[in-house]
Amino acid sequence: MARERATALLVDFDGVLRRWDPAVAAGVEREYGLSAGVLGEIAMQWGRLQPVLTGQVSHADWMTSVADALTPSLGDAERARAAVAQWQRYRGEVDPEVLAFVREVRAAGIRVGLGTNATDLLDADLAALDLTGELDVVVNSSVIGVHKPAPEYFQAACGALETPPARVLFVDDEDRAVSGARVAGLSAHRWTSPADLRYLRAALAT
């Protein structure tokens, strides 16, 4: 039995609409004499990451914990805080092709939501990247208290889009999120690059 055609689009933020240049973190690590990749490794440790993604702690508290974990390597708490602050000043870049696609989809009358595991800094990031008003809804895990790939996350996202799961197309660059969306009844596409836009346009018939 063929699926119903999607009438709403839910897109991930990091890795889809927002890109990160790894050279920025690498430059900070070199400047402070840190091992390559250590900033991301510490920040992404699940016990440190999960609370901020579900709104239990703030982005600022999360970064303080990263600085605290760096302090033994640098031997100086102030220097550790400075390294983290310098790393965090960079807030990524918008993928212009994805943004153009989002605008195209919305112009065709299809609702577009941002579906992201994010912190309480998300609204500020959207403003800094000139994305305020570019999406119909924003579904932030730290606001709703549950993160992808939990089914409750996708239920909340479909509710925000006012669209049943079978009519929502979800796009994410992580396999676990894509699998979770499918289990929740959404159509889902694993994002690899803007080359995927051709498929997505066909799926939405924009």
Side-chain angles (χ1 to χ4, degrees):
M1 179 176 168
R3 287 192 66 97
E4 298 175 277
R5 183 173 294 281
T7 57
L9 176 68
L10 183 66
V11 296
D12 182 34
F13 193 29
D14 292 322
V16 181
L17 183 55
R18 174 166 65 176
R19 305 179 301 201
W20 297 94
D21 183 352
V24 174
V28 173
E29 288 161 350
R30 282 195 303 272
E31 180 178 339
Y32 284 85
L34 296 166
S35 58
V38 70
L39 288 168
E41 288 169 9
I42 291 174
M44 297 300 171
Q45 289 169 349
W46 190 238
R48 198 183 308 279
L49 181 63
Q50 193 269 349
V52 75
L53 292 184
T54 51
Q56 299 172 60
V57 302
S58 68
H59 188 101
D61 288 341
W62 178 39
M63 287 301 110
T64 295
S65 77
V66 173
D68 289 345
L70 274 179
T71 298
S73 298
L74 292 175
D76 183 336
E78 187 173 338
R79 188 167 165 78
R81 287 193 295 270
V84 170
Q86 184 172 328
W87 172 48
Q88 287 291 294
R89 277 195 288 273
Y90 172 61
R91 303 311 304 160
E93 302 153 14
V94 175
D95 187 312
E97 292 182 79
V98 178
L99 179 57
F101 172 64
V102 166
R103 290 171 173 169
E104 174 188 325
V105 169
R106 293 184 76 204
I110 296 172
R111 287 172 63 79
V112 180
L114 188 71
T116 180
N117 287 343
T119 75
D120 61 355
L121 201 62
L122 179 62
D123 288 346
D125 280 353
L126 293 175
L129 294 169
D130 293 325
L131 289 172
T132 302
E134 294 284 3
L135 300 133
D136 294 297
V137 298
V138 174
V139 188
N140 180 350
S141 65
S142 66
V143 172
I144 65 174
V146 62
H147 56 77
K148 298 178 290 185
E152 294 84 0
Y153 178 91
F154 293 107
Q155 291 165 8
C158 293
L161 284 166
E162 300 177 343
T163 307
R167 290 289 189 130
V168 177
L169 174 60
F170 174 62
V171 182
D172 199 291
D173 65 327
E174 292 190 2
D175 289 330
R176 289 180 71 248
V178 169
S179 296
R182 289 174 178 159
V183 168
L186 291 73
S187 297
H189 178 78
R190 168 70 159 78
W191 177 262
T192 57
S193 76
D196 295 342
L197 292 174
R198 182 177 179 182
Y199 166 81
L200 296 176
R201 285 188 174 97
L204 292 167
T206 60

